[in-house]
Amino acid sequence: MAEEEPGATVHLLCLAASSGVPLFCRSSRGGAPARQQLPFSVIGSLNGVHMFGQNLEVQLSSARTEDTTVVWRSFHDSITLIALSSEEDSAELRLERLLHMVFGAMVLFVGLEELTNIRNVERLKKELRASYHLIDSFLGDSELIGDLTQCVDCVIPPEGSLLQEALSGFAEATGTAFVSLVVSGRMVAATESWWRLGTPESVLLPWLVGSLPPQAARDYPVYLPHGSPTVPHRLLTLTLLPGLELCLLCGPQPSLSRLDTQLLERWWQPLLDPLRACLPLGPRALPDGFPLHTDILGLLLLHLELKRCLFTVEPLGDKEPSAEQRRRLLRNFYTLVTTTHFPAESGPPEKAEDVVHRAQLPRACYLVLGPGSGWQLVALQLGMRLLLLLLSPQSPTHGLRSLATNTLHALTPLL
């Protein structure tokens, strides 16, 4: 498993499937937005070979060259998305999920009708510009991982029960079932209705809130790619503290003016200290004092049924490697174990042979990086939970499974 190259380039192309007209092209280099654009001849060739295959009833999904991985996806026979990555050993899974998130972001801003029934290409191009900042965040080195895991990034607040109680009361007072608290793009707490949102909007909405410039309040029209792709809803956000936002998903009511200072103070002023305790949870995800082994440099915990995850590379101090390197290593390891060792979907077995197959599936695996670094990665799956750990070189290899098992048992009550 190669670590992602610092200068790796990712290109994202969006075209109208019927005409091949480019709608936009976004790029990143080294995790930062780049102005580099592919020549029109290259864009035309990439789309042309895909269309040629479709005409012969052949579905071209991915290809590799010496230094580039290419993935194609068509959506509703109307939009074609193409992703190219120069990252060494880049996995198709990562690019496939990137394309699904990008299309979800497009639907979030303009609605499915505009994308499946394109009447005016130039107008659609202009409307899609509103989605660029969200799409660019998928191409960059994000601190979140929901774009890859398709699970909601969460944090564990120290006084979660108090926040949950206040959130439910506030939702009832405003007549809105969909309410959540978001810190730095991660979910702190949410009402039951919000947790029932489907994929990808459950991942996209907090990610969108975390990617927007700070504002005291917003009234944002959004479509729900799964739940309401043709009828817009309103996303209201209210900043309780810098970086901590209260989000409401609603229809015409309530108006933003109805959510006055008096209503906010009634529900949230008494909880000022628990709210402040949520602010450092952005990068850490876990509350201060949570017992973690000193060898753990980063962790990713997924609940495959609830579609939620905890992701942190800052459990302990500022040891090597850097936070950026840790995130890349865990993302690459997740891609490796998901495509190689663990099934992507976990549901009830339908046939007797499925039961036998699952009995033969691995429950744990590990990887030692080298030469020179010696960092270790271990993955453990128990039931609906999958845990990935990045460990320091001094952690003994024979104790990896025991360490992972103990850590998973400690984290299980949280997620």
Side-chain angles (χ1 to χ4, degrees):
M1 183 189 73
E3 183 181 341
E4 185 175 335
E5 303 166 64
T9 301
V10 178
H11 294 287
L12 172 68
L13 309 175
C14 176
L15 306 98
S18 58
S19 62
V21 175
L23 300 177
F24 63 78
C25 176
R26 310 302 294 173
S27 302
S28 71
R29 183 175 180 82
R35 293 182 175 272
Q36 181 183 358
Q37 298 288 317
L38 291 175
F40 185 77
S41 58
V42 174
I43 297 175
S45 298
L46 289 169
N47 186 53
V49 69
H50 183 253
M51 293 182 66
F52 179 76
Q54 284 184 322
N55 292 335
L56 297 176
E57 297 184 354
V58 174
Q59 184 63 45
L60 177 61
S61 59
S62 64
R64 287 182 180 269
T65 68
E66 290 183 358
D67 57 2
T68 303
T69 303
V70 187
V71 170
W72 291 262
R73 278 294 175 273
S74 291
F75 295 89
H76 299 274
D77 296 323
S78 178
I79 298 293
T80 298
L81 293 176
I82 308 172
L84 302 88
S85 174
S86 66
E87 178 191 347
E88 184 181 355
D89 298 328
S90 179
E92 286 87 351
L93 174 73
R94 181 182 302 184
L95 298 180
E96 288 171 3
R97 294 191 175 180
L98 167 66
L99 296 185
H100 282 281
M101 290 297 291
V102 168
F103 184 73
M106 294 166 63
V107 176
L108 191 77
F109 281 91
V110 304
L112 187 60
E113 177 66 23
E114 291 292 325
L115 298 173
T116 56
N117 188 14
I118 302 175
R119 301 180 183 88
N120 188 316
V121 170
E122 294 304 317
R123 187 183 69 183
L124 180 58
K125 286 182 182 180
K126 292 179 181 178
E127 292 176 345
L128 286 173
R129 289 174 187 169
S131 66
Y132 285 177
H133 69 280
L134 181 57
I135 291 173
D136 288 345
S137 69
F138 298 145
L139 302 180
D141 281 339
S142 174
E143 295 182 355
L144 308 178
I145 200 169
D147 61 317
L148 178 61
T149 63
Q150 297 182 325
C151 296
V152 182
D153 285 274
C154 300
V155 299
I156 305 300
E159 300 185 65
S161 58
L162 288 177
L163 297 177
Q164 189 66 51
E165 184 179 347
L167 202 66
S168 300
F170 181 81
E172 186 176 350
T174 56
T176 305
F178 299 87
V179 186
S180 66
L181 277 174
V182 176
V183 60
S184 304
R186 300 165 177 86
M187 299 293 295
V188 178
T191 59
E192 290 186 13
S193 296
W194 186 291
W195 283 126
R196 287 197 294 266
L197 289 173
T199 305
E201 52 258 33
S202 59
V203 176
L204 286 170
L205 290 174
W207 194 304
L208 170 64
V209 173
S211 70
L212 292 172
Q215 281 186 309
R218 303 186 191 90
D219 192 338
Y220 221 80
V222 293
Y223 295 84
L224 304 181
H226 175 77
S228 181
T230 57
V231 179
H233 286 63
R234 294 165 62 226
L235 177 64
L236 307 182
T237 68
L238 301 161
T239 299
L240 300 180
L241 293 170
L244 179 64
E245 300 190 65
L246 182 65
C247 304
L248 297 84
L249 189 65
C250 56
Q253 298 297 328
S255 64
L256 194 58
S257 59
R258 183 186 164 191
L259 305 175
D260 54 20
T261 306
Q262 185 176 1
L263 183 63
L264 292 176
E265 288 182 352
R266 174 190 168 192
W267 288 101
W268 301 108
Q269 186 69 33
L271 298 177
L272 201 53
D273 288 337
L275 290 173
R276 286 198 181 106
C278 295
L279 298 180
L281 292 177
R284 180 175 165 79
L286 297 169
D288 285 337
F290 185 84
L292 281 178
H293 197 283
T294 55
D295 287 344
I296 297 176
L297 303 176
L299 69 86
L300 169 62
L301 173 65
L302 302 105
H303 196 297
L304 303 176
E305 184 177 24
L306 298 179
K307 293 289 185 181
R308 305 177 197 175
C309 67
L310 295 175
F311 181 48
T312 178
V313 294
E314 300 183 16
L316 296 167
D318 55 356
K319 299 178 182 179
E320 290 293 327
S322 67
E324 291 77 10
Q325 287 176 300
R326 297 182 194 189
R327 280 193 288 270
R328 289 174 187 150
L329 288 169
L330 280 169
R331 289 177 73 95
N332 287 348
F333 189 51
Y334 170 81
T335 303
L336 175 67
V337 300
T338 301
T339 55
T340 308
H341 301 298
F342 301 112
E345 299 293 336
S346 295
E350 297 180 358
K351 303 177 183 178
E353 54 264 34
D354 293 336
V355 177
V356 175
H357 173 68
R358 291 196 177 189
Q360 297 172 344
L361 290 175
R363 291 290 175 261
C365 65
Y366 75 94
L367 182 69
V368 179
L369 300 180
S373 64
W375 299 313
Q376 301 175 90
L377 292 144
V378 60
L380 175 68
Q381 182 167 350
L382 291 176
M384 288 295 167
R385 290 177 177 85
L386 173 63
L387 175 67
L388 282 69
L389 296 177
L390 172 63
L391 302 166
S392 59
Q394 62 262 29
S395 189
T397 304
H398 62 81
L400 294 182
R401 182 162 185 169
S402 174
L403 192 158
T405 302
N406 292 335
T407 303
L408 181 56
H409 287 328
L411 291 170
T412 293
L414 305 181
L415 187 67

